[in-house]
Amino acid sequence: MEHEQGENIMMTKAERVSKRSDGTWSQPNSEYPINASISTEIDLNEFERIATIDCELPCNDEKFPKGAIISDTYKVGNGIFRRKLPLP
């Protein structure tokens, strides 16, 4: 598969993420129905690494808005990736 610019699509498994009130990355709170399935596939070419983690993400039991998924932000391997902003 290719993008319009001829760039290869690099689909990879990813997990949705959340943040705790102390600012640490975590798994989303599973009590929210939208968070029930945290695994998905993304085209890594459309994302940029914003953080590196050195452990498995802990569960988040905090209540909304903490514990909810962060839109367009995923964990792949030991990295946290966010969708690249469109160029102006």
Side-chain angles (χ1 to χ4, degrees), residues 25-66:
W25 294 101
S26 65
Q27 294 179 20
N29 185 326
S30 61
E31 289 182 15
Y32 299 116
I34 195 168
N35 295 348
S37 175
I38 65 168
S39 294
T40 189
E41 282 195 353
I42 61 171
D43 178 359
L44 206 52
N45 291 313
E46 296 178 2
F47 291 78
E48 61 187 342
R49 183 185 293 256
I50 59 170
T52 301
I53 55 174
D54 59 0
C55 61
E56 287 299 312
L57 295 178
C59 294
N60 191 331
D61 59 359
E62 296 175 306
K63 300 301 178 198
F64 189 81
K66 297 297 178 189

Side-chain angles (χ1 to χ4, degrees), residues 17-20 22-27 50-53 56-58 60 70 73-74 80:
V17 295
S18 183
K19 269 195 170 179
R20 292 179 172 211
D22 66 4
T24 58
W25 294 101
S26 65
Q27 294 179 20
I50 59 170
T52 301
I53 55 174
E56 287 299 312
L57 295 178
N60 191 331
I70 299 175
T73 306
Y74 300 88
I80 303 293

Side-chain angles (χ1 to χ4, degrees), residues 6-17:
E7 189 175 302
N8 287 333
I9 294 177
M10 193 161 95
M11 297 302 288
T12 188
K13 292 185 183 211
E15 296 178 7
R16 292 180 172 93
V17 295

